[in-house]
Amino acid sequence: MADHRILLLGPPGAGKGTQATRLTAEYDLDHITTGDALRQNKEMETEYGTPGEYMDAGELVPDPVVNEIVVAALEDADGFVLDGYPRNLDQAEFLSEETDLDHVVFLDVPEDVLVERLTGRRVCDDCGATYHVEFDRPEEAGVCDECGGELVQREDDTEDTVRERLRVYRENTEPVVEHYREEGTLVEVSGEGAPDDVFERLRDVIEG
Ligand code: AP5
Ligand code: MG
Ligand code: ZN
């Protein structure tokens, strides 16, 4: 059976990263995520400035920078979960020239839930594992269960920046969701409920 090529779409906080981590483990896929790649290179000098300047304001990093990340990652991957890309119609068109997709899934979560999830998110400074102060607590507050590292808040997870990211999402990324919907490839899945329940829904889509 061919490897799965999965695109996970959804607003900030929908659980793309949470579910991508599960999918990659379950189906032995690569996790291609522009957000993590950019965070690891926040200070990198490009002709547009550094990625961090855009990210900390909640704005999109210029297309050439993210397209390059995706091309390199796709070259190394057979099956993959793509998370955080494409985020505008130009990126979607670029992607369509680079690869076919087997599943395009939209994680649907209402906006008030998104703000709660994002402002309460904590991530491990060492291994990147994700927690939530209320919904997914570590055994010891502030300490990573996986590696003992320190849990920190992402710089763009403050309430004001979260609101701006949601605005940027509505303006740039909702048209991408609409594009796949019109194309007839979009499968919509509720992203509400416990992560395990959401994962079961995704499994049904992928194996269905
Ligand atoms: P990126 O890192 O991609 O952020 P995002 O799209 O805003 O999405 P998040 O990572 O915030 O949310 P998620 O859906 O992964 O949620 P998670 O699983 O962590 O991008 C960051 C920035 O990089 C952008 O703003 C931009 O500047 C730049 N960038 C990235 N890609 C780009 C591109 N292609 N073009 C241009 N610029 C780009 O879950 C969130 C929280 O909820 C966690 O605390 C988790 O524990 C909790 N949670 C998850 N699932 C559940 C559940 N079912 N129930 C309860 N809590 C849950
Ligand atoms: Mg994420
Ligand atoms: Zn850790």
Side-chain angles (χ1 to χ4, degrees):
M1 193 184 73
D3 279 315
H4 300 288
R5 294 166 297 184
I6 302 167
L7 170 58
L8 270 190
L9 291 165
K16 302 182 297 292
T18 300
Q19 297 300 330
T21 301
R22 290 163 188 245
L23 290 166
T24 52
E26 176 86 4
Y27 298 109
D28 193 22
L29 307 169
D30 283 5
H31 187 184
I32 303 180
T33 170
T34 42
D36 287 357
L38 291 167
R39 264 185 291 284
Q40 283 160 17
N41 295 285
K42 271 181 93 169
E43 309 304 327
M44 183 181 69
E45 292 293 343
T46 77
E47 58 182 290
Y48 310 95
T50 64
E53 290 165 30
Y54 298 90
M55 299 174 79
D56 291 349
E59 309 302 327
L60 296 186
V61 173
D63 291 347
V65 178
V66 288
N67 288 346
E68 193 180 329
I69 293 171
V70 169
V71 170
L74 285 173
E75 263 171 28
D76 296 334
D78 294 319
F80 57 81
V81 182
L82 194 47
D83 150 19
Y85 181 101
R87 273 177 131 86
N88 60 34
L89 287 172
D90 286 338
Q91 292 180 14
E93 189 182 342
F94 183 86
L95 178 66
S96 72
E97 287 160 13
E98 294 293 322
T99 185
D100 292 328
L101 299 166
D102 302 309
H103 306 281
V104 180
V105 187
F106 174 65
L107 281 176
D108 193 11
V109 176
E111 182 152 331
D112 52 331
V113 178
L114 297 173
V115 175
E116 213 182 355
R117 284 189 185 179
L118 290 171
T119 53
R121 173 167 54 189
R122 298 294 181 272
V123 290
C124 175
D125 210 15
D126 289 334
C127 76
T130 299
Y131 301 86
H132 191 281
V133 292
E134 206 176 317
F135 309 135
D136 185 11
R137 294 185 197 182
E139 275 171 37
E140 190 186 332
V143 181
C144 179
D145 293 344
E146 306 288 327
C147 78
E150 187 193 352
L151 302 186
V152 298
Q153 185 170 37
R154 252 171 62 174
E155 291 188 52
D156 60 350
D157 277 348
T158 56
E159 178 144 0
D160 282 352
T161 308
V162 164
R163 301 263 176 216
E164 176 61 10
R165 286 162 60 201
L166 288 168
R167 191 196 64 75
V168 168
Y169 170 80
R170 282 193 295 268
E171 182 175 312
N172 298 275
T173 315
E174 273 184 356
V176 174
V177 176
E178 194 51 39
H179 161 79
Y180 290 110
R181 188 178 283 130
E182 280 170 12
E183 192 183 80
T185 49
L186 191 76
V187 178
E188 302 191 46
V189 164
S190 168
E192 283 192 278
D196 284 346
D197 297 335
V198 178
F199 184 64
E200 283 309 312
R201 293 175 205 139
L202 290 174
R203 240 211 318 236
D204 287 346
V205 169
I206 285 146
E207 295 179 12

